[in-house]
Amino acid sequence: MKKILFTFALILTTMCVTAQDDDTALSSIYQKFAFTLFDKVVENKEDGGMNIILSPLSAQMALSMVQNGAAGNTLAEIQQVLGTSAFSTEQVNKYNRKVAEKLTYRPSVNKDEVSNTSYPVCELANGTWAKPGITLYDSFKEKLATYYDAEAGTVDFGTQEGIDVINKWANEKTHGLIPSIYDEPDPYLSAVLANALYFKGNWTVPFETNYTKTRKFHLIDGQTMDVDMMRMFYEYFKISKSDKFHTVTLPYGVKGDFTMTIFLPTDKQGFPSLTYEDWTFANKTSKSTLLNLQMPKFSIDDNHSLTDILQELGMVEAFTPLADFSLESLDPLMISKVFQLAKIIVDEEGTEAAAVTVIDETETSIGDEEDPEDFIIDHPFYFTIENKSTQTILFMGQVLTITGYPSGDVNHDGTVNVVDVMTTVNYVLTGNVPNFHIENADVNNDGLTDVSDVMGIVNIVLNSPSGAPIQ
């Protein structure tokens, strides 16, 4: 009897260890997928100097859902792009289910009674819709419902009413951050699979609004602009340092299970690529340090076509008439496009972010005594928003410029011109310029506004006769 019990316990232990090993491996695989996808998004941006917000998690969930309908080479290519070739679709589904449950868990109370800090909100939603005449297999819809809580419906994409159904879904699931995903009806659209991700978290230690001041943000080209810089003094944060980046991690909520990590290049005039190795190094080497922290407020509203990117990564057949989605529908389907809309807002209270990834398918004919360190985020940087318990990257992006006014634009009209020169001269002579933003006149960033700044603004005007445009 003891031998039987021992054997049974050994089998259970082995099964648990194997499951944990699978989760660890898939976690690492999806982290690498996040950086591979981000690199391709940066590479494919028409304007390399653009700010970017991307949700690798949303893309992962959408592609995992469509994987359930794929077979043959189509399935193999989807797995190859995600990096999950060694895992069955069922293993991937179970892992995604566990991740979703952990990410979206919230206590029954909204705030911690001791700290009065609210718990972060993380919500995932999935859906699949087909037009009249297209039948999705019950087995396919049941899998998506079981593992992804995906709702299913019938929508006539060729009518405004049908498109409004999808847009309303996106608006509700992202709490208004992404109000719509389709501009007009598409009669050629046969089926849609979509994932929506929403996150809202207050900083564990919020920034005081009265400490936010206008400060300089240094652009890669050497120019500066005036931005709203949030400031915090004598607080502990985890930081990490390498030759490429200095990082700081800001926790959300009570437990700090969700965090934002800022990757600030050590060279103000450089912007090296952010890699998976950089991210893991920061996670492994960060240590709690007393800081005086300065960080700009920012927001990014972005969209990405992932169609070409996924094909470049090796997912080709799914976009051709040879696509095999025979586990999804009796009707021959192929993917026509994959795209993502994303938005993030960062301020003194915390962060609100959302993303919707859409897969369109069409038919085929086939210590207080310490001296604090200064951590000043005053030049372009990367950021990631991650969850520690699942080691999942929800969002990542880059900030190259921040909406504001160019240095020297005293009257905030978006240009630096003669009016700004005369206003600054008047201030230097009289010390009085009502209704103007004289803080923008400090072009040499020495904390003073004097004759040297007047000459600096004159130089800006002379080198840009039409005025320096608003960023």
Side-chain angles (χ1 to χ4, degrees):
M1 183 66 178
K2 289 183 178 179
K3 184 177 181 180
I4 294 174
L5 288 174
F6 175 77
T7 303
F8 182 67
L10 183 62
I11 292 172
L12 284 179
T13 302
T14 303
M15 289 173 63
C16 291
V17 170
T18 301
Q20 290 174 355
D21 289 345
D22 287 349
D23 289 352
T24 301
L26 282 168
S27 174
S28 178
I29 284 168
Y30 286 129
Q31 290 162 11
K32 292 174 182 176
F33 168 72
F35 285 90
T36 299
L37 186 65
F38 183 72
D39 284 346
K40 280 293 184 182
V41 166
V42 172
E43 180 183 311
N44 280 263
K45 279 290 185 181
E46 292 181 4
D47 181 355
M50 293 179 68
N51 294 340
I52 291 174
I53 170 70
L54 171 76
S55 174
L57 175 61
S58 180
Q60 167 195 324
M61 290 293 182
L63 290 171
S64 295
M65 284 198 297
V66 82
Q67 175 180 327
N68 281 269
N73 190 56
T74 301
L75 171 61
E77 288 185 350
I78 295 172
Q79 292 174 314
Q80 181 261 317
V81 167
L82 288 170
T84 58
S85 299
F87 297 87
S88 68
T89 299
E90 184 179 7
Q91 286 175 302
V92 167
N93 288 340
K94 288 181 177 179
Y95 173 80
N96 285 333
R97 177 72 184 178
K98 280 190 278 189
V99 167
E101 288 175 347
K102 289 181 180 180
L103 290 177
T104 57
Y105 170 77
R106 289 190 84 204
S108 56
V109 293
N110 290 329
K111 285 190 175 183
D112 177 71
E113 294 182 358
V114 177
S115 64
N116 199 36
T117 303
S118 61
Y119 292 94
V121 176
C122 183
E123 297 173 355
L124 282 161
N126 298 292
T128 179
W129 301 267
K131 74 177 184 180
I134 296 293
T135 302
L136 301 182
Y137 289 130
D138 288 340
S139 57
F140 174 74
K141 291 186 289 186
E142 287 169 3
K143 281 186 179 180
L144 297 195
T146 299
Y147 294 110
Y148 299 90
D149 287 326
E151 59 184 90
T154 301
V155 169
D156 186 351
F157 305 108
T159 66
Q160 188 59 49
E161 182 181 4
I163 291 300
D164 287 345
V165 170
I166 310 298
N167 288 339
K168 181 181 179 182
W169 179 87
N171 183 55
E172 289 179 350
K173 300 306 180 184
T174 63
H175 296 253
L177 283 190
I178 299 175
S180 66
I181 54 180
Y182 291 109
D183 295 328
E184 57 187 7
D186 184 353
Y188 299 103
L189 196 54
S190 299
V192 169
L193 287 85
N195 166 271
L197 169 63
Y198 175 77
F199 173 80
K200 185 173 184 179
N202 290 345
W203 305 121
T204 302
V205 182
F207 292 85
E208 297 288 342
T209 55
N210 58 309
Y211 287 162
T212 298
K213 302 294 181 184
T214 301
R215 291 291 184 267
K216 302 297 180 187
F217 189 83
H218 301 265
L219 306 180
I220 293 177
D221 62 7
Q223 297 185 46
T224 62
M225 60 191 312
D226 294 290
V227 302
D228 290 331
M229 189 72 77
M230 304 182 293
R231 302 186 302 160
M232 186 182 299
F233 307 98
Y234 286 88
E235 291 290 347
Y236 282 93
F237 294 96
K238 287 188 175 181
I239 68 169
S240 173
K241 296 180 180 181
S242 70
D243 292 338
K244 285 174 63 179
F245 297 105
H246 289 176
T247 73
V248 60
T249 299
L250 287 74
Y252 297 101
V254 182
K255 296 182 179 179
D257 196 32
F258 290 93
T259 58
M260 172 182 279
T261 302
I262 301 291
F263 293 79
L264 189 67
T266 54
D267 179 7
K268 283 189 177 183
Q269 299 303 313
F271 200 64
S273 297
L274 179 65
T275 66
Y276 167 73
E277 288 73 23
D278 295 324
W279 185 75
T280 53
F281 178 84
N283 282 339
K284 291 177 180 178
T285 64
S286 61
K287 60 180 181 179
S288 185
T289 305
L290 188 63
L291 295 182
N292 289 332
L293 177 63
Q294 295 188 36
M295 175 178 174
K297 296 168 63 174
F298 67 92
S299 64
I300 305 172
D301 200 334
D302 208 356
N303 63 84
H304 311 288
S305 172
L306 302 180
T307 304
D308 290 344
I309 289 173
L310 292 173
Q311 292 182 74
E312 289 171 13
L313 291 174
M315 185 176 152
V316 178
E317 187 174 274
F319 296 92
T320 73
L322 298 176
D324 184 354
F325 288 106
S326 55
L327 300 181
E328 179 179 350
S329 173
L330 178 63
D331 304 285
L333 298 175
M334 60 178 278
I335 296 176
S336 56
K337 60 182 177 180
V338 180
F339 62 95
Q340 183 181 108
L341 307 178
K343 184 172 184 177
I344 187 170
I345 302 169
V346 177
D347 59 20
E348 289 90 350
E349 292 184 359
T351 301
E352 187 175 23
V356 175
T357 302
V358 181
I359 299 177
D360 286 349
E361 293 180 315
T362 57
E363 292 175 78
T364 70
S365 56
I366 322 195
D368 293 342
E369 294 182 359
E370 299 177 47
D371 290 328
E373 285 190 38
D374 290 329
F375 199 107
I376 303 174
I377 306 168
D378 63 353
H379 57 281
F381 58 92
Y382 295 100
F383 65 89
T384 60
I385 296 178
E386 53 271 315
N387 174 263
K388 288 194 297 185
S389 65
T390 63
Q391 285 295 293
T392 300
I393 300 173
L394 284 74
F395 297 91
M396 61 193 304
Q398 65 182 33
V399 178
L400 301 185
T401 183
I402 295 174
T403 301
Y405 297 91
S407 295
D409 181 17
V410 179
N411 62 356
H412 277 195
D413 66 354
T415 64
V416 182
N417 50 41
V418 175
V419 174
D420 299 298
V421 175
M422 299 309 297
T423 303
T424 306
V425 168
N426 184 38
Y427 175 79
V428 172
L429 293 176
T430 68
N432 183 31
V433 281
N435 302 321
F436 285 93
H437 301 268
I438 201 63
E439 67 275 4
N440 279 33
D442 183 18
V443 294
N444 61 4
N445 204 26
D446 64 357
L448 303 172
T449 300
D450 50 26
V451 175
S452 65
D453 296 301
V454 173
M455 299 308 297
I457 298 174
V458 169
N459 187 51
I460 293 173
V461 174
L462 291 176
N463 284 285
S464 182
S466 61
I470 189 170
Q471 301 293 320

